[in-house]
């Protein structure tokens, strides 16, 4: 979608595939370099009018987009399950959360947008003023094909930026449905442009000199390449990358309660959440009871087509993803991991990998490198010191959790766990859209690092400080 028009690319047809049954969902002709240039040109041309419309009017358009998405919720949820594979309840929850996200940012239009300061000159007013960055590029992954784009597009647009969006190639139909909703809500031509194409199109987009800000969620290697393409020219860049999230279970916690929460956090969305629990660290006597509970729960998970109401865990997003996750499990077993539980798989085709519970040590590759699927490893620690060391032993720092009733343990974990989100007696996954979300270490790149909450305005605007003194009236003769 370029300058308000749906344009067909010239490349060979590409398709997205339903990972539950290998059927095609959407067929499209990918964009090429000319479309990247045209989209950026359209976004540059639309800047002034969008800026001059004012934030209240822009907020009303976002509010309308929330209403339209709510009207189309079931259609979009069904499409998401077909294209991405997540279960229908998961898709419905994502659509609902996206409606809330759009409402939240729409309402920000009426918040205070600056600060005033006293001046050494009594008549002078000093105040901060927010100005849009200009053209923002948004590059989004397939695991939350609606929610993550909304986190980025809604504040970018609200604060007066025009946008070129490159969604993930595996979920283009959901992306097109969302773009259509924004257009139907009244986003003017050229303000939001969307190009469908491979990662190389995204690389061209972020390297373009007219792009002043880049917001990205995805893998660490792509994030690093975007950093290299943007930072030297002074473009603002915000990125949310992978995670290797640990949960510490203390002996004073209830093993059944901890296991139920952690299986949901590790296996929900088929483990394809950057915040998913990847390592469960059982301290001392917690180990045996916890492992017994986890083993029973993981072995009983029902895996299948996400549109079947009996399904708890859907397929991976694609055959390629399933192959990578299955290979990582095999490698872990070759390296000496113990297989504690594996859920049964459906007989049909599809991109399925059995939810898998392993036991092992921090040296396993699966405990150091992110495996983006339904695989979790239980580790032993003698005491809290060792558990915190293990939790902090990867380059990532997205989320961490601790299960305990001991306030001293809670305080230490909040202080010492190297993660942007620390959860206590709660799943690693899940966050409120009005609270800052972002990782530490390799999981994020600052400027600022958080998404959501007030910090999104800090990323999507430049702040200026204005010093205003009254003018001296020209003396009348
Ligand atoms: P990728 O980094 O491969 O892809 C993410 C997006 O970047 C896609 O739109 C992709 O396009 C695009 N892209 C690919 N190559 C380039 C490039 N060279 N320049 C610019 N854009 C490019 O990640 P995955 O699709 O594998 O997504 C899963 C990863 O994302 C996981 O590692 C996960 O941890 C992370 N993630 C992090 C989250 C967080 O909030 N911290 C949330 C969700 C996921 P295309 O699809 O066409 O390849």
């Amino acid at each position: 979608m370029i300058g308000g028009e749906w344009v067909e690319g010239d490349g060979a047809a590409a398709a997205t595939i339903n990972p539950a049954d290998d059927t095609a969902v959407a067929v499209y002709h990918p964009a090429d370099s000319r479309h990247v240039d045209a989209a950026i040109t359209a976004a540059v041309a639309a800047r002034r009018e969008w800026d001059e419309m004012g934030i209240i009017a822009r907020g009303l358009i976002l509010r309308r987009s929330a209403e339209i998405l709510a009207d189309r919720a079931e259609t979009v949820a069904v499409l998401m399950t077909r294209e991405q594979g997540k279960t229908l309840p998961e898709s419905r929850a994502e659509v609902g959360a996206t409606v809330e996200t759009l409402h939240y940012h729409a309402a920000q239009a009426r918040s205070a947008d600056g600060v005033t300061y006293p001046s050494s000159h009594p008549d002078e007013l000093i105040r901060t003023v927010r100005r849009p960055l200009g053209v923002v590029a948004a590059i989004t992954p397939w695991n939350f094909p609606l929610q993550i784009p909304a986190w980025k597009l809604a504040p970018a647009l609200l604060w007066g930026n025009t946008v070129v969006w490159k969604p993930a190639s595996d979920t283009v139909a959901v992306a097109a449905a969302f773009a259509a909703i924004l257009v139907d809500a009244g986003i003017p031509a050229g303000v939001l442009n969307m190009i469908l194409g491979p990662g190389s199109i995204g690389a061209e987009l972020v390297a373009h000199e007219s792009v002043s800000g880049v917001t990205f969620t995805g893998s660490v290697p792509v994030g690093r390449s975007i950093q290299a393409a943007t930072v030297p020219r002074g473009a603002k860049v915000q990125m949310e990358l992978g995670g290797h999230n640990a949960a510490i279970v203390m002996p004073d916690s209830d093993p059944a309660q901890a296991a139920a929460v952690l299986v949901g956090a590790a296996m929900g969305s088929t483990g394809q959440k950057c915040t998913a629990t990847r390592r469960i660290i059982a301290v001392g006597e917690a180990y045996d009871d916890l492992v017994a509970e986890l083993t029973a729960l993981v072995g009983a998970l029902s895996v299948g087509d996400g549109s079947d109401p009996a399904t708890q865990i859907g397929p991976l997003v694609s055959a390629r993803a399933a192959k990578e996750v299955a290979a990582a499990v095999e490698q872990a077993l070759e390296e000496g991991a113990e297989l504690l539980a594996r859920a049964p798989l459906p007989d049909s085709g599809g991109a399925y990998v059995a939810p898998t519970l392993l036991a092992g040590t921090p040296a396993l590759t699966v405990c150091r490198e992110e495996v983006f699927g339904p695989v979790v490893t239980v580790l032993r620690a003698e005491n809290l010191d060792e558990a915190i060391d293990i939790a902090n032993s990867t380059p990532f720092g997205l989320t961490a959790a601790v299960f305990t009733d001991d306030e001293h343990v809670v305080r230490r974990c909040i202080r010492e766990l190297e993660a942007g989100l620390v959860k206590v007696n709660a799943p690693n996954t899940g966050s409120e859209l009005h609270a800052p979300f972002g990782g530490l270490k390799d999981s994020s790149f600052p400027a600022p690092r958080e998404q959501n909450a007030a910090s999104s305005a800090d990323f999507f605007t430049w702040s200026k400080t204005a010093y205003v003194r009254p003018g001296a009236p020209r003396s009348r003769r």
Side-chain angles (χ1 to χ4, degrees):
M1 191 181 61
I2 299 173
E5 303 285 330
W6 292 95
V7 180
E8 193 153 322
D10 301 324
T16 59
I17 303 294
N18 182 338
D21 60 14
D22 306 324
T23 55
V25 175
V27 178
Y28 65 105
H29 292 269
D32 59 35
S33 307
R34 285 167 307 145
H35 300 108
V36 175
D37 281 340
I40 292 172
T41 302
V44 169
R47 278 187 57 187
R48 178 179 284 273
E49 196 184 333
W50 185 237
D51 181 19
E52 290 178 352
M53 182 185 282
I55 193 166
I56 299 285
R58 293 194 297 263
L60 291 175
I61 293 176
L62 284 184
R63 190 166 81 190
R64 182 79 194 112
S65 71
E67 292 162 356
I68 297 174
L69 177 58
D71 286 346
R72 299 180 193 172
E74 190 61 12
T75 310
V76 176
V78 168
L79 178 64
M80 190 185 295
T81 289
R82 284 180 62 219
E83 189 172 55
Q84 201 275 351
K86 60 180 71 185
T87 66
L88 201 46
E90 287 170 339
S91 294
R92 288 182 181 132
E94 181 170 343
V95 173
T98 306
V99 170
E100 284 300 308
T101 299
L102 294 168
H103 274 303
Y104 170 77
H105 288 291
Q108 294 301 303
R110 294 181 190 273
S111 301
D113 63 355
V115 180
T116 61
Y117 296 89
S119 168
S120 310
H121 297 268
D123 284 345
E124 187 173 61
L125 181 68
I126 305 178
R127 64 186 169 103
T128 59
V129 176
R130 290 193 185 280
R131 297 293 300 139
L133 302 182
V135 177
V136 165
I139 302 195
T140 54
W142 42 262
N143 62 341
F144 287 89
L146 197 63
Q147 173 73 89
I148 291 177
W151 280 5
K152 297 176 185 305
L153 302 189
L157 294 168
L158 178 76
W159 290 103
N161 301 284
T162 57
V163 174
V164 181
W165 173 30
K166 195 214 99 57
S169 295
D170 284 329
T171 48
V172 299
V174 173
F178 187 36
I181 285 167
L182 290 163
V183 169
D184 290 350
I187 298 277
V191 170
L192 172 67
N193 306 274
M194 182 187 68
I195 48 175
L196 306 180
S200 55
I201 289 292
E204 287 180 37
L205 175 60
V206 300
H208 201 289
E209 60 181 12
S210 297
V211 170
S212 317
V214 176
T215 175
F216 170 77
T217 297
S219 62
V220 173
V222 173
R224 292 286 168 257
S225 72
I226 291 176
Q227 188 180 337
T230 50
V231 173
R233 72 167 191 275
K236 235 175 168 183
V237 56
Q238 169 196 61
M239 44 183 78
E240 289 299 330
L241 309 173
H244 209 308
N245 314 297
I248 296 173
V249 180
M250 297 298 288
D252 69 333
S253 64
D254 175 3
Q257 189 257 349
V261 171
L262 289 172
V263 169
M267 305 303 181
S269 295
T270 320
Q272 299 170 115
K273 290 184 182 179
C274 51
T275 52
T277 311
R278 306 284 182 211
R279 295 169 295 148
I280 298 172
I281 306 165
V283 177
E285 290 170 6
Y287 190 88
D288 290 343
D289 289 348
L290 183 70
V291 163
E293 297 283 351
L294 290 168
T295 302
L297 290 174
V298 171
L301 288 171
S302 105
V303 182
D305 186 329
S307 60
D308 180 344
T311 295
Q312 292 172 292
I313 308 293
L316 276 288
V317 68
S318 64
R320 182 176 58 102
K323 205 170 149 196
E324 284 172 13
V325 173
V329 173
E330 286 314 308
Q331 183 181 357
L333 296 174
E334 281 164 22
E335 290 176 8
E338 180 189 352
L339 179 63
L340 294 175
R342 223 175 214 176
L345 284 182
D347 296 333
S348 57
Y352 293 103
V353 171
T356 303
L357 178 69
L358 302 170
T361 68
L364 293 169
T365 308
V366 74
C367 289
R368 291 182 287 110
E369 295 177 8
E370 184 180 40
V371 176
F372 214 56
V375 182
V376 65
T377 308
V378 194
L379 305 147
R380 282 180 194 271
E382 288 302 312
N383 50 42
L384 181 61
D385 288 341
E386 191 189 357
I388 291 175
D389 284 348
I390 293 172
N392 291 343
S393 66
T394 77
F396 297 103
L398 194 53
T399 73
V402 60
F403 290 78
T404 183
D405 201 26
D406 183 333
E407 182 60 24
H408 296 287
V409 172
V410 170
R411 286 181 191 201
R412 267 200 70 190
C413 286
I414 292 173
R415 273 200 315 268
E416 295 178 32
L417 286 172
E418 295 168 354
L421 248 67
V422 180
K423 301 281 206 76
V424 179
N425 299 313
N428 293 71
T429 50
S431 61
E432 296 281 356
L433 68 95
H434 49 275
F437 171 83
L440 305 178
K441 296 159 76 178
D442 277 1
S443 292
S444 259
F445 184 76
R449 70 184 174 81
E450 294 100 346
Q451 303 182 66
N452 300 350
S455 46
S456 55
D458 292 337
F459 178 72
F460 288 110
T461 60
W462 295 115
S463 177
K464 292 182 178 177
T465 309
Y467 290 68
V468 182
R469 296 183 193 178
R474 192 170 174 166
S475 54
R476 295 212 177 99
R477 299 199 180 141

